[in-house]
Amino acid sequence: MTVLVAAPTVAEGQAYCSLRDPNRIVQELFPEATGFRSFLRKVTRADARTLKADLALDFDPREFTTHTLYAVLQDNKILGYVQSRTEPVEWGLAEIIWVLDSDLNLAAFRFQRCRSRWKEEVEEDSLQTQLKGLSEIELLELWKTKGSKWFRREANLPDSADKLIDAVIKSGLKATGLARIVWGDDITNIRDSLASAEGQ
């Protein structure tokens, strides 16, 4: 079994949306990984305003505090990125773990905590297949033109799963948007650093 070691975080503070057991979760999601680096950043009001303007999402900027992005590595190669998002749903808060590929497209999601009766069905392959590979722009376009109900119908889920699926879609938009806005410099730096190390 691969042992993953987290590099020191880049900023100080306690993440509001965080993985409860990063080593275990990253290992489960990326069994071929040799390590990961974590980047802890405070999401500023300016970041939240940019996200809101870009995505046309209605949310309270106060929901964003300090968050962590995990860059998962296989030696000098970036396999993908992981972050946790918390969304309000009718049963409380759903904690959703997002996996982004090395180009910041959606790869997969899983619930870290969710009380919905539809949790397992929503997490199954049908919705995962619809979302996999979508960029932030592509997901936004589908959500704007077709709505969350279209994703639910395509996944062959009942009407009562609408709110949870809507939370998943919005969470995916925030996950990709935050990666771009908040961690853009970190991602560029780690890509450059790994490329330099590989070239030596």
Side-chain angles (χ1 to χ4, degrees):
M1 183 176 291
T2 304
V3 177
L4 301 178
V5 180
T9 53
V10 179
E12 295 181 357
Q14 178 64 42
Y16 176 73
C17 294
S18 61
L19 303 186
R20 295 178 181 175
D21 188 350
N23 285 280
R24 178 183 61 81
I25 290 173
V26 170
Q27 197 166 34
E28 287 177 2
L29 295 171
F30 296 92
E32 71 275 35
T34 55
F36 65 86
R37 295 184 188 177
S38 56
F39 299 92
L40 185 63
R41 292 293 182 202
K42 179 176 177 59
V43 182
T44 66
R45 291 294 183 101
D47 293 333
R49 285 194 297 270
T50 300
L51 185 69
K52 198 167 189 175
D54 289 352
L55 303 181
L57 276 176
D58 186 22
F59 58 81
D60 186 342
R62 291 176 297 180
E63 78 174 75
F64 299 114
T65 53
T66 301
H67 304 267
T68 305
L69 180 76
Y70 299 87
V72 185
L73 311 175
Q74 184 180 42
D75 300 322
N76 290 325
K77 174 184 176 183
I78 298 176
L79 299 178
Y81 303 91
V82 180
Q83 64 169 291
S84 177
R85 295 282 323 123
T86 300
E87 291 293 326
V89 293
E90 57 186 330
W91 309 276
L93 294 175
E95 296 176 7
I96 306 171
I97 297 171
W98 280 100
V99 180
L100 307 180
D101 66 22
S102 58
D103 295 318
L104 301 183
N105 298 324
L106 298 178
F109 73 90
R110 62 187 286 186
F111 293 108
Q112 183 168 235
R113 184 185 73 166
C114 180
R115 296 178 180 175
S116 170
R117 60 174 293 192
W118 300 112
K119 169 189 172 182
E120 292 183 3
E121 288 85 349
V122 169
E123 198 178 56
E124 284 180 354
D125 290 345
S126 183
L127 184 59
Q128 298 275 6
T129 300
Q130 291 180 62
L131 297 176
K132 186 174 182 178
L134 291 179
S135 67
E136 177 188 0
I137 294 173
E138 290 168 336
L139 179 60
L140 181 61
E141 182 64 21
L142 281 172
W143 180 66
K144 281 183 174 181
T145 58
K146 296 180 180 291
S148 298
K149 293 185 190 313
W150 177 81
F151 287 95
R152 190 260 301 160
R153 288 192 297 268
E154 291 293 304
N156 198 29
L157 290 167
D159 294 357
S160 50
D162 273 341
K163 290 187 178 179
L164 183 58
I165 292 175
D166 189 58
V168 169
I169 301 303
K170 291 177 179 176
S171 175
L173 287 169
K174 291 174 185 176
T176 51
L178 287 171
R180 170 177 55 86
I181 294 167
V182 177
W183 290 286
D185 289 342
D186 293 317
I187 290 169
T188 297
N189 290 338
I190 190 173
R191 285 173 176 170
D192 291 346
S193 174
L194 292 174
S196 176
E198 191 172 18
Q200 291 179 355

